[in-house]
Amino acid sequence: MNIHDPQHAQLAAGLASARSAELFDKACKLIPGGVNSTARATWAGWDPYPLFVQGGQGAHLTDVDGNRYIDYLLGLGPMIFGHRPPRVTQAVVDFIQTRGTVFALPTQDEARLAEKIVAAVPSVEQVRLCNTGTEAVLYATRLARAFTGRSKIVRFEGMYHGFSDGVYWSKHPALDRAGPDDHPRAVPQGPGLPHGIEDNLIILPWNDADLLADTLKRHGHEIAAVLTEPVMCNTGCILPQPGYLEAMRELTQAHGVVLIFDEVITGFRLGLAGAQGRFGIKPDLSVFAKGIGGGFPVAAMGGRAELMALVATGKVSMAGTYCANGIAIAAANAALDELNTAGLYQQLDTVSDALRHGLSRVLGDAGLPASVVGLGPLMQVWFAREPIHNYRDAERHADQVLFRRWWQGMLARGVLFHPGAYENLFVSTAHTPADVQATLAAAKEVASELARSA
């Protein structure tokens, strides 16, 4: 029996997906796991096979079986304008057709983009462009070590900062391997990470300012940087407790530790100044990626000129053949122009808030143990009876089985988001009030079904 045969296994009852199943079987013969990123794999929740996409337009996506969805997956976040945004798409096409792609020499467009980023984010005085968030985090931690002369990095359980060996630890560790709550042990994401790297990592639970203060008091002289998302977006959506980011900023300054904000997800999504703008915090270094390119691959790392001076002199190397390539620069310049449109973020928040509050109401009316946590166009549904403030809370209290049933019910009704509770729902500027109403109508049906079978 072929386990991917839709006669024997379906993503969701009533969803036509035979073609996706067939294509996945073929892909598995050539591509390990049948996909090119872990987040699309069966073990990430796309079980027994992922949907294969035909195309997307605006806030909607169509799969190869002809199913059409309201898309809240949005490529895991980059599609802040939805699919195929005309202005960004045309800018890339024009650049390729009239100028080229990769020159290994600078263009004036790079400085124009840097000027826009510096103008948008108050903490960024200078910026270098990269290709991915992984690259940008790697460079930020290297720069922090070079600047401070220290080796250790503080990172938090449940966060993902890319897949480089230096930080690919304690993303979602098994709690029986992760040590006590107040003194977590560094757990590699998987085999193949060199032994000894963990000696340069201090793993902490998020949202515990007292523990961070104690750690910096005891080890501050060894710590180069505190690396954090300002909103935890890689264990669902977990907001900072009131005063936590402020305490983090004060503590790192007091101990001469570089504060790095990983805004790969939140940057240019929660506002032109990202989450740091929303919360009024100025980190020393910031990393951006998904929101900056309007769906094209581009990233950036920037911050205080005093730190970036080490890059200016070549003391700290930031290299890459494809860094600031023509496609990335054209896309990011057009995207930032679009994001500077008056009222854009206010409208995006209005639509997003209607979805978040509407889902909260629907789930509450059904009597389900659920909450919808988020900020602006970033959110997740937690099925839990206890509040979730960090990764261990999520592991102990989140009902992953109920979330799976929620996802299947919504998918069958034409609403797409990631099947994993540790991912997020994203809203784009292309989503309309009508999309939200259709989503809430589907949610009401699914919530009623879940409540009846509880």
Side-chain angles (χ1 to χ4, degrees):
M1 178 189 299
N2 182 347
I3 62 170
H4 304 304
D5 188 330
Q7 294 180 355
H8 304 291
Q10 285 280 341
L11 285 170
L15 180 71
S17 56
R19 181 67 174 148
S20 283
E22 177 186 349
L23 290 175
F24 183 61
D25 281 336
K26 291 181 179 179
C28 284
K29 295 177 175 66
L30 301 165
I31 302 170
V35 295
N36 282 290
S37 176
T38 296
R40 306 165 205 164
T42 53
W43 56 87
W46 296 102
D47 184 34
Y49 47 82
L51 292 170
F52 276 62
V53 175
Q54 181 64 36
Q57 180 63 55
H60 298 89
L61 181 147
T62 303
D63 68 24
V64 293
D65 288 280
N67 302 300
R68 188 170 185 265
Y69 307 92
I70 303 172
D71 184 10
Y72 297 105
L73 181 65
L74 292 179
L76 292 179
M79 315 309 299
I80 192 167
F81 307 118
H83 299 283
R84 292 191 283 168
R87 188 173 181 178
V88 178
T89 303
Q90 192 59 53
V92 171
V93 171
D94 289 346
F95 197 98
I96 293 172
Q97 290 184 334
T98 63
R99 299 176 64 183
T101 54
V102 178
F103 308 115
L105 288 168
T107 66
Q108 62 179 343
D109 309 80
E110 298 170 37
R112 285 204 295 264
L113 176 57
E115 184 178 22
K116 294 172 188 177
I117 295 171
V118 169
V121 187
S123 72
V124 175
E125 297 173 346
Q126 291 188 325
V127 62
R128 271 287 190 102
L129 298 170
C130 315
N131 296 298
T132 68
T134 291
E135 282 185 14
V137 169
L138 187 157
Y139 288 135
T141 53
R142 180 185 296 171
L143 184 56
R145 287 186 170 114
F147 182 77
T148 61
R150 305 168 185 172
S151 62
K152 294 186 184 293
I153 303 292
V154 172
R155 61 145 296 160
F156 300 93
E157 280 185 324
M159 292 191 178
Y160 171 68
H161 301 292
F163 50 79
S164 66
D165 288 355
V167 295
Y168 206 26
W169 297 72
S170 296
K171 178 189 175 189
H172 294 143
L175 295 189
D176 61 358
R177 297 182 58 203
D181 287 11
D182 61 351
H183 191 65
R185 182 182 303 119
V187 179
Q189 183 64 18
L193 297 183
H195 294 296
I197 288 179
E198 66 272 27
D199 296 338
N200 290 316
L201 291 173
I202 297 176
I203 309 298
L204 293 179
W206 205 53
N207 263 331
D208 189 332
D210 291 338
L211 187 54
L212 177 62
D214 181 65
T215 299
L216 288 170
K217 181 179 180 180
R218 289 186 291 111
H219 300 287
H221 63 287
E222 304 174 90
I223 297 172
V226 170
L227 171 63
T228 186
E229 295 178 285
V231 175
M232 187 182 283
C233 302
N234 285 286
T235 297
C237 188
I238 302 176
L239 299 178
Q241 291 283 82
Y244 179 61
L245 295 180
E246 289 83 356
M248 185 181 288
R249 177 66 285 186
E250 292 174 6
L251 289 165
T252 50
Q253 282 182 326
H255 291 276
V257 172
V258 175
L259 179 58
I260 303 172
F261 270 10
D262 179 348
E263 293 226 45
V264 165
I265 292 177
T266 55
F268 298 97
R269 170 165 288 281
L270 298 185
L272 273 175
Q276 59 190 270
R278 288 250 187 175
F279 292 107
I281 308 293
K282 292 179 69 174
D284 300 301
L285 294 174
S286 298
V287 171
F288 308 99
K290 295 187 178 184
I292 198 172
F296 289 86
V298 57
M301 188 279 287
R304 289 167 40 206
E306 184 183 9
L307 279 83
M308 299 301 291
L310 297 181
V311 179
T313 62
K315 184 174 182 178
V316 173
S317 176
M318 287 185 65
T321 298
Y322 294 104
C323 292
N325 68 79
I327 294 171
I329 293 297
N333 265 314
L336 290 190
D337 288 345
E338 190 88 355
L339 291 172
N340 265 296
T341 302
L344 180 142
Y345 283 106
Q346 292 87 339
Q347 180 59 33
L348 181 57
D349 274 2
T350 297
V351 174
S352 303
D353 290 349
L355 176 65
R356 187 171 66 256
H357 297 319
L359 288 174
S360 294
R361 183 174 60 255
V362 165
L363 295 168
D365 289 348
L368 293 168
S371 59
V372 187
V373 177
L375 186 64
L378 169 70
M379 68 192 77
Q380 182 57 297
V381 176
W382 287 112
F383 289 98
R385 297 185 183 277
E386 302 291 336
I388 293 174
H389 299 305
N390 57 44
Y391 167 68
R392 297 196 184 201
D393 287 346
E395 279 291 278
R396 289 168 176 152
H397 305 307
D399 190 332
Q400 306 281 355
V401 174
L402 190 55
F403 184 91
R404 173 75 181 188
R405 292 173 57 204
W406 158 255
W407 172 76
Q408 287 177 317
M410 294 297 282
L411 186 69
R413 290 165 176 81
V415 179
L416 175 67
F417 46 90
H418 197 280
Y422 287 175
E423 298 291 346
N424 289 280
L425 278 74
F426 298 98
V427 182
S428 73
T429 60
H431 283 89
T432 66
D435 292 322
V436 171
Q437 289 306 309
T439 302
L440 297 179
K444 186 173 182 179
E445 293 180 4
V446 177
S448 295
E449 288 185 358
L450 297 179
R452 285 196 299 269
S453 60

